[in-house]
């Protein structure tokens, strides 16, 4: 079952997914973290309560509000060498030279102060994702529109979709920030509409929903 930690000023849903494994390291069991946007201490505390460590840190996209806790998590769990994964078209917002890209994203909406006040040097990704990649029980669906490298993570066996800022309960991600593309978003939403209607959707912000609720039952 996915655990939710709501983090940051923009109330991002950070998802923690325990992996179905009995092997442990230092009495901690592996998990996947999706979109650790801020408040690393809250995420770490929840992991400690659950006796988990991150094997994979996955990003649905690389806007700052979804990655702000990455430096502290990678540092705190460094001995476990977590994999940090993002789609290759969003990889420019990670790494030591990423700050200008984030300033460009947010300057027109919130100004530069938001990023500058929270900025820590971003580690580079250790894995560049592409369509149909598999990470544990999750498969990558490339769903551009909100950003060129936006992805959803789909667990077909358990009918769960982690949709990032592509699909929300009663809404969709904005396309007016740098790299946004309404035409691409329309195609991505059409693709998601074809998933089984009972699939539970765990978005990047706000409450859970289902594919059927958002697109109608087929």
């Amino acid at each position: 079952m996915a655990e939710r930690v709501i983090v940051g000023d923009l109330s991002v849903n950070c998802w923690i997914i325990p992996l179905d494994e009995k092997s442990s390291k230092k009495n901690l069991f592996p998990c996947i973290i999706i979109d650790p946007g801020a408040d690393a201490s809250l995420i770490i505390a929840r992991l400690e309560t659950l006796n988990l460590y991150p094997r994979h840190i996955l990003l649905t996209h690389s806007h700052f509000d979804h990655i702000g806790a990455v430096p502290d998590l990678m540092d705190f769990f460094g001995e476990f060498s977590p994999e940090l994964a993002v789609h290759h078209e969003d990889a420019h917002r990670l790494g030591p030279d990423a700050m200008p890209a984030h300033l460009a994203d947010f300057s027109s909406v919130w100004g530069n102060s938001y990023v500058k006040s929270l900025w820590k040097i971003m580690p580079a990704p250790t894995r560049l994702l592409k369509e149909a990649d598999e990470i544990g029980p999750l498969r990558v669906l490339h769903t551009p529109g909100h950003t060129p490298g936006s992805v959803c993570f789909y667990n077909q066996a358990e009918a769960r979709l982690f949709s990032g800022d592509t699909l929300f309960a009663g809404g969709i991600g904005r396309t007016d920030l740098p790299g946004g593309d309404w035409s691409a978003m329309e195609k991505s939403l059409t693709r998601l509409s074809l998933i089984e209607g009972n699939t539970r959707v765990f978005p990047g912000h706000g409450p859970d929903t289902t594919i059927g609720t958002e697109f109608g039952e087929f």
Side-chain angles (χ1 to χ4, degrees):
M1 184 63 183
E3 293 272 338
R4 181 195 341 236
V5 183
I6 300 175
V7 299
D9 297 332
L10 302 183
S11 298
V12 170
N13 292 327
C14 171
W15 299 102
I16 299 171
I17 306 167
L19 292 170
D20 188 18
E21 296 183 17
K22 295 182 179 180
S23 61
S24 66
K25 295 181 179 180
K26 295 190 173 183
N27 296 316
L28 300 175
F29 296 88
C31 73
I32 293 170
I33 298 176
I34 297 177
D35 289 354
D39 299 329
S41 60
L42 292 181
I43 300 170
I44 291 168
R46 183 69 65 87
L47 293 172
E48 290 179 336
T49 298
L50 298 170
N51 294 319
L52 298 174
Y53 73 90
R55 177 175 291 170
H56 310 277
I57 298 176
L58 307 182
L59 306 176
T60 61
H61 63 294
S62 59
H63 279 160
F64 188 72
D65 58 316
H66 286 251
I67 70 171
V70 164
D72 287 341
L73 290 176
M74 292 293 284
D75 181 60
F76 188 88
F77 291 104
E79 64 184 305
F80 297 101
S81 299
E83 177 180 74
L84 177 58
V86 66
H87 191 273
H88 64 86
E89 291 194 56
D90 267 27
H92 62 288
R93 296 190 190 90
L94 294 171
D97 300 320
M99 188 175 184
H102 292 286
L103 294 179
D105 289 338
F106 282 90
S107 61
S108 63
V109 182
W110 296 287
N112 292 337
S113 59
Y114 175 72
V115 173
K116 287 184 175 180
S117 67
L118 299 172
W119 182 257
K120 293 185 178 181
I121 297 297
M122 286 289 160
T126 59
R127 178 174 179 176
L128 298 180
L129 299 173
K130 63 183 185 301
E131 171 70 26
D133 278 352
E134 295 186 355
I135 307 99
L138 304 176
R139 179 159 54 91
V140 174
L141 306 182
H142 183 207
T143 53
H146 183 60
T147 67
S150 286
V151 300
C152 297
F153 297 107
Y154 182 35
N155 183 334
Q156 185 171 11
E158 296 184 5
R160 296 178 181 178
L161 181 78
F162 297 87
S163 62
D165 283 7
T166 298
L167 179 65
F168 305 130
I172 62 173
R174 62 192 299 171
T175 59
D176 60 335
L177 295 175
D181 184 328
W182 173 245
S183 177
M185 176 66 85
E186 285 186 308
K187 293 176 183 177
S188 294
L189 294 171
T190 297
R191 180 185 188 186
L192 295 184
S193 75
L194 302 177
I195 294 174
E196 290 293 330
N198 66 341
T199 300
R200 197 79 193 163
V201 177
F202 300 96
H205 304 266
D208 308 350
T209 185
T210 67
I211 291 293
T213 299
E214 300 309 313
F215 297 106
E217 299 289 351
F218 294 94

